[in-house]
Amino acid sequence: MSGESKEEKTEKVRYNLLWRDQEQQAIREWWDKLNVNLGERAKLRRCEKPEDILLQPYFYELQQKLPNITDALALASVAGLIAHVKTDSDYSFPKQLGQQKDHSGKAVFSELRFQQLLASHDLDELYENLRRAIMQLNRSANILSLADGILQWSTEQRDKNQLSERPEQRFKFAWAKAYFSEVLTYSK
């Protein structure tokens, strides 16, 4: 019976760029190994921006596992940010940000901070905003949802002329929908 209630609570998260099982598995395995190798995790967590992560040897282990991801700075951001995560969550990252904080009627991550996150101008700013968000979530985050979001944001920034004609498939819309859908569940 308890297995059924766990399944009912688990949300099926759809990934836009990390849709291949082997890529998802590679990130999970790398993160699991990172949680055992606390020295490497500490080095990654001390990095202030994605460029600093490129100088860490453990990052290259992740890059070797994901040869289809060619944006090194975006992947470095993934590595640095998931190094801050202690607990993997079942819910999508933006939905987590919109969850109610201690029955207060307010989101864990305020709407203002969420809007600032969506308005990030460059990867360094996105990295800092996401790092702050992870801390607000007490270092519990869906690592695949977070990674997919970073990679999608980076792809859209790089290829602005090739944005999907369907807004619901774009990073900002998808994250805003997940966040505000969650906020609406308790703010009615």
Side-chain angles (χ1 to χ4, degrees), residues 6 15 28 31-32 35 85-91 96 139-146:
K6 173 72 174 164
Y15 303 108
R28 284 193 190 285
W31 181 73
D32 286 340
N35 286 327
V85 176
K86 277 190 174 179
T87 308
D88 191 16
S89 172
D90 291 333
Y91 297 102
Q96 286 179 269
R139 298 178 59 193
S140 174
N142 183 313
I143 60 171
L144 294 177
S145 174
L146 177 61

Side-chain angles (χ1 to χ4, degrees), residues 11 91-100 107 111 114-115 118 168 172-188:
E11 167 195 7
Y91 297 102
S92 74
F93 189 72
K95 182 175 182 173
Q96 286 179 269
L97 296 176
Q99 289 179 331
Q100 184 174 195
E111 183 179 335
F114 184 72
Q115 295 290 351
L118 292 182
E168 65 275 7
K172 287 183 181 182
F173 180 91
W175 275 41
K177 181 180 178 186
Y179 176 88
F180 290 115
S181 293
E182 183 63 22
V183 168
L184 288 172
T185 64
Y186 57 83
S187 66
K188 294 179 181 179

Side-chain angles (χ1 to χ4, degrees), residues 154-169:
S154 182
T155 299
E156 289 179 8
Q157 293 300 306
R158 187 180 59 244
D159 304 327
K160 287 187 180 189
N161 294 336
Q162 296 184 2
L163 286 175
S164 172
E165 291 180 15
R166 298 177 59 197
E168 65 275 7
Q169 292 181 342

Side-chain angles (χ1 to χ4, degrees), residues 5-69:
S5 62
K6 173 72 174 164
E7 287 176 24
E8 290 171 11
K9 290 182 181 180
T10 301
E11 167 195 7
K12 178 63 177 162
V13 180
R14 184 181 167 277
Y15 303 108
N16 292 314
L17 297 178
L18 293 176
W19 53 270
R20 292 180 193 93
D21 288 339
Q22 59 267 38
E23 290 174 339
Q24 293 176 23
Q25 188 64 28
I27 289 173
R28 284 193 190 285
E29 287 172 0
W30 184 86
W31 181 73
D32 286 340
K33 190 174 170 188
L34 183 66
N35 286 327
V36 174
N37 194 338
L38 300 180
E40 293 299 327
R41 185 171 87 179
K43 288 179 194 175
L44 290 169
R45 288 179 54 201
R46 282 193 295 269
C47 294
E48 292 183 20
K49 53 189 176 183
E51 195 170 276
D52 299 338
I53 295 161
L54 294 175
L55 305 176
Q56 300 302 316
Y58 198 67
F59 159 73
Y60 291 97
E61 188 171 318
L62 178 62
Q63 190 179 45
Q64 286 179 345
K65 291 176 179 273
L66 299 167
N68 293 332
I69 299 175

Side-chain angles (χ1 to χ4, degrees), residues 130-142:
L130 287 172
R131 191 191 59 73
R132 182 181 297 126
I134 292 166
M135 295 306 136
Q136 287 291 122
L137 293 170
N138 296 319
R139 298 178 59 193
S140 174
N142 183 313

